Amino acid sequence: MSSTTETPRDSWVPMIAIALGQMLMSFNVAALPVSLAGMVSSFGVPPTTIATGIVMYSLSVAGFVMLGAKLVQRFGSTAVFRVVVGLFGIAQVLMVTAPAAIVMLVAQLLAGLAAAVIVPALVALIAHHYRGPQQATAVGALGSARAAAGVAAFLIGGMLGTFIGWRPVFGILVVASAVVFWLSFRLKPEDARPEVKIDVVGVALAACAIILVVFGFNNLNRWGLGVARPGAPFDIMGMSPAPIMIVCGAILLQVFIRWCRRVAEAGGTPLLDLRVITSSEERAAVYAMFTVVGLEAMLNFTVPLYIQIVQGRTPIETAIAMMPFNLTVFFTAMLVVRLYPTVPPRRIAQGGFALCVVGLLWLAWVVRNDWSAFPVMLGLITFGIGQGALVTLVFNVLVTAAPKELAGDVGSLRGTTQNLAAGVGTAVAGALLVGLLSAGILQRVAENPALPPAVMSQIDLDSINFVSNDRLLGIMERTGAAPAQVAEAVRVNTEARLQALKIGLLIMALVAALAIIPASRLPAYRPGEIPDGLRAPPTGGRCRWSVATTGATPWPASVPEPSRW
């Protein structure tokens, strides 16, 4: 590591490669929902299968990002970054040429495995290239790059998807991966650390836990919330395997944490250094990050589903409808850093979640069948302000609270949390909306004398999913139903879809309101009051942070010391 007397590495050229690396991953995830209708048409699959592609990507990142962090430490961030960017490009080639949905899922799995290494590499590269105020700016730029990629994906993906097709959207990522690969040669090399060992048991525990949790959530609707449904691959005494997988995954996560603590106490190298979540402030930041990303994933799946599949609109109309939200997140993520010198993180987080609650409640109240209506845009903008403020803040809290040598662990924790939340959020959104839709339709059919059992028995009510009115008309006409019965079925479907959407938004608002509780445990100090000479003790095991003897400022008497000090 370089000393503070060396010439500062203040060139922003490396940051271009780092930011583009972040944008590759974010663009890929954001492009999937906006390409929903095109993929459904190309592959002949329901929209929930495309959602599985999003889950597959998030699952592989969340399950293996901690392994990726150790690979970064073991072989050096620059060399590893270069290799996995190439792997990510290969995955995008598969996306562009995918002849069937299964190839698309494999491509997203491969892209997720590459991203599992890119995520911690980005944080390590920032720590390797920048110090002090430049490092804080670089961290903020990373959050802004994520938001900017979401805007670009919806805008570019909407236009290409409408006028050309969904495949060129991912062709852009092939070219972008090549550009990032070329720019990676402008990064400063980092020495490998052969002493870093890979905790194989930890890798297995973490991967199994996360796979069980995400797969369980993703199949709640298909396999059953309690009693096993006909689509379940197996049952356990009549119970659905989905909730059992979630419980087993949660137990394995606890076993993983205990295993990491045991490895550290024995003087080894745990897969995740638990010092990054020692204090209640850091744990609160993790909870807040999980909620923020989960809510964003739910909204990013819900809106394109409703606009493209339900209303039958084009991808560019979806992009326009989502643009207020994405632009607001982008600009808020850039501008919120101006509040850091004067407003404590705790207050920003509480305000951010409060805005999310207000935005979601407003959407649940005003949403109809026209997402371009001004009241709906106002709700999306309000929700976007809250999201933009939170997505950068919680990452900043984690990064500034840990010393440089734990940058890889912070990156892996961030990647695990964000992608686990994205996978769970997308899976829950799909299961929740389809479940609400199914319940609403079944209730209305049972109470509606205009829809006799003889007609409805010809429709598979056990596999209700979101369909457009035009498609439903075609299904009903094949049953031989009378025109009045067809019209009634369309009306029931329209009402049930809107009700499912409204209830889903209300549940999201409840989740955002509950997140204010962990947000109240974020640091109450201003960034200017944080001692800037933190270092980790040289010994392993349970640690207490100490202030370095060079350049440290004393902890102000007016601010309570964190519990870890």
Side-chain angles (χ1 to χ4, degrees):
M1 300 298 174
S2 61
S3 66
T4 56
T5 59
E6 292 180 358
T7 302
R9 292 172 289 199
D10 54 2
S11 171
W12 286 112
V13 173
M15 192 59 214
I16 297 174
I18 295 170
L20 286 176
Q22 174 65 64
M23 293 182 73
L24 285 177
M25 300 180 294
S26 301
F27 190 99
N28 174 71
V29 174
L32 285 169
V34 82
S35 304
L36 190 66
M39 290 187 180
V40 167
S41 176
S42 294
F43 300 139
V45 294
T48 47
T49 300
I50 310 305
T52 302
I54 304 174
V55 172
M56 190 72 72
Y57 172 88
S58 301
L59 176 66
S60 52
V61 178
F64 296 97
V65 70
M66 286 182 278
L67 171 61
K70 295 307 172 187
L71 293 175
V72 168
Q73 295 174 358
R74 174 67 177 79
F75 299 103
S77 57
T78 302
V80 171
F81 177 72
R82 186 176 300 135
V83 171
V84 293
V85 165
L87 181 62
F88 190 89
I90 294 172
Q92 298 309 314
V93 172
L94 278 179
M95 280 294 296
V96 173
T97 59
I102 185 64
V103 180
M104 180 272 291
L105 295 178
V106 171
Q108 286 302 312
L109 174 64
L110 187 61
L113 291 175
V117 186
I118 294 175
V119 168
L122 295 177
V123 182
L125 286 169
I126 288 178
H128 182 54
H129 285 82
Y130 301 106
R131 301 288 186 276
Q134 270 197 308
Q135 187 177 94
T137 302
V139 171
L142 203 63
S144 299
R146 178 177 179 271
V151 174
F154 271 89
L155 186 60
I156 298 173
M159 289 191 297
L160 290 177
T162 299
F163 299 112
I164 301 177
W166 64 269
R167 295 182 190 273
V169 179
F170 295 92
I172 292 175
L173 287 177
V174 176
V175 177
S177 299
V179 172
V180 176
F181 182 84
W182 174 71
L183 286 173
S184 68
F185 290 94
R186 302 295 300 274
L187 298 172
K188 294 182 179 296
E190 185 179 29
D191 293 336
R193 294 166 55 189
E195 70 277 7
V196 175
K197 306 298 181 184
I198 305 298
D199 180 10
V200 178
V201 175
V203 171
L205 287 173
C208 289
I210 291 169
I211 288 172
L212 285 173
V213 169
V214 177
F215 259 99
F217 275 109
N218 193 45
N219 289 287
L220 278 175
N221 183 68
R222 190 182 313 161
W223 296 348
L225 183 61
V227 178
R229 301 186 64 177
F234 61 91
D235 64 83
I236 301 175
M237 299 179 65
M239 290 183 60
S240 166
I244 297 174
M245 290 173 71
I246 296 172
V247 172
C248 291
I251 294 173
L252 279 180
L253 280 177
Q254 295 300 316
V255 174
F256 167 72
I257 292 173
R258 289 181 177 274
W259 174 261
C260 287
R261 184 176 293 117
R262 177 183 174 183
V263 172
E265 290 173 350
T269 304
L271 189 64
L272 176 67
D273 197 317
L274 297 180
R275 290 178 293 173
V276 298
I277 50 172
T278 302
S279 72
S280 60
E281 290 91 346
E282 289 162 338
R283 290 193 293 272
V286 173
Y287 299 147
M289 182 182 293
F290 186 92
T291 306
V292 168
V293 178
L295 288 173
E296 184 180 16
M298 293 178 76
L299 190 76
N300 278 334
F301 175 73
T302 301
V303 176
L305 168 73
Y306 198 80
I307 294 175
Q308 293 187 55
I309 304 303
V310 173
Q311 297 180 343
R313 298 189 182 184
T314 63
I316 194 169
E317 289 177 302
T318 305
I320 292 172
M322 286 296 291
M323 198 53 62
F325 170 71
N326 286 306
L327 285 175
T328 304
V329 172
F330 171 58
F331 286 113
T332 305
M334 289 195 304
L335 297 176
V336 73
V337 294
R338 297 179 180 273
L339 298 178
Y340 291 173
T342 56
V343 183
R346 181 179 300 173
R347 296 289 173 258
I348 297 176
Q350 290 173 328
F353 278 119
L355 285 172
C356 288
V357 173
V358 171
L360 290 167
L361 288 176
W362 177 260
L363 284 172
W365 184 41
V366 303
V367 70
R368 295 294 183 268
N369 282 325
D370 185 6
W371 277 86
S372 61
F374 177 75
V376 174
M377 288 193 293
L378 182 62
L380 289 173
I381 290 171
T382 304
F383 183 70
I385 294 173
Q387 283 281 305
L390 289 162
V391 72
T392 304
L393 172 74
V394 291
F395 182 39
N396 244 308
V397 170
L398 284 174
V399 171
T400 57
K404 177 179 180 296
E405 55 265 33
L406 295 182
D409 291 279
V410 172
S412 67
L413 180 63
R414 173 204 179 215
T416 301
T417 304
Q418 286 188 337
N419 288 279
L420 180 59
V424 170
T426 303
V428 168
L432 177 65
L433 292 176
V434 172
L436 290 171
L437 175 69
S438 178
I441 288 180
L442 290 175
Q443 179 185 0
R444 285 172 169 79
V445 167
E447 298 173 351
N448 197 325
L451 296 173
V455 172
M456 301 312 297
S457 63
Q458 300 179 57
I459 301 175
D460 185 9
L461 294 178
D462 291 329
S463 58
I464 294 174
N465 213 316
F466 281 83
V467 295
S468 65
N469 286 341
D470 291 339
R471 185 177 175 189
L472 181 61
L473 281 172
I475 295 173
M476 290 298 297
E477 288 172 355
R478 288 195 295 270
T479 66
Q485 294 171 336
V486 173
E488 185 65 15
V490 170
R491 186 190 67 80
V492 166
N493 186 46
T494 302
E495 290 182 358
R497 288 182 319 209
L498 190 58
Q499 181 189 50
L501 178 63
K502 285 178 172 289
I503 296 176
L505 290 169
L506 288 174
I507 293 174
M508 291 170 62
L510 176 62
V511 173
L514 292 175
I516 297 177
I517 298 174
S520 65
R521 295 201 299 270
L522 288 172
Y525 52 74
R526 293 188 298 273
E529 296 171 331
I530 301 175
D532 59 3
L534 296 180
R535 61 176 172 84
T539 57
R542 196 173 182 83
C543 84
R544 292 173 63 86
W545 300 113
S546 59
V547 179
T549 56
T550 58
T553 56
W555 191 266
S558 61
V559 181
E561 295 185 2
S563 58
R564 68 180 179 215
W565 279 49

